[in-house]
Amino acid sequence: MEGKDMIEQRYKVAEVAQMLRESKEHIYRGLHRGWFVGAYKIGGGRTSDWRIPESAIEAYLERCQR
């Protein structure tokens, strides 16, 4: 991502699962274990949707490549 003034893209769980070629369950597991720093839930309920910032996905991929 370039520049601090740009708005960072955020993705849904299904989108991240497709990008990473993983199951949605794997992504949910990662969210609960803190793998995607900066991810957050929309709404306050138990079934609320998650949003995962692009920077969190990039950081996760970087950690996986080590």
Side-chain angles (χ1 to χ4, degrees):
M1 189 169 86
E2 298 177 21
K4 293 182 179 179
D5 294 333
M6 294 181 67
I7 296 174
E8 184 174 20
Q9 180 69 38
R10 287 160 174 77
Y11 297 94
K12 296 178 181 179
V13 169
E15 294 170 324
V16 175
Q18 186 176 13
M19 281 191 285
L20 301 181
R21 296 182 178 169
E22 295 284 356
S23 67
K24 289 191 295 185
E25 291 77 15
H26 180 81
I27 304 303
Y28 280 118
R29 187 177 312 118
L31 288 165
H32 290 285
R33 292 181 179 175
W35 296 349
F36 299 98
V37 177
Y40 58 93
K41 288 179 112 178
I42 301 286
R46 190 170 158 233
T47 60
S48 300
D49 289 333
W50 284 90
R51 292 296 180 270
I52 306 166
E54 187 172 13
S55 61
I57 299 165
E58 291 169 356
Y60 168 78
L61 290 172
E62 191 174 302
R63 284 191 309 272
C64 288
Q65 291 177 356
R66 291 183 187 175

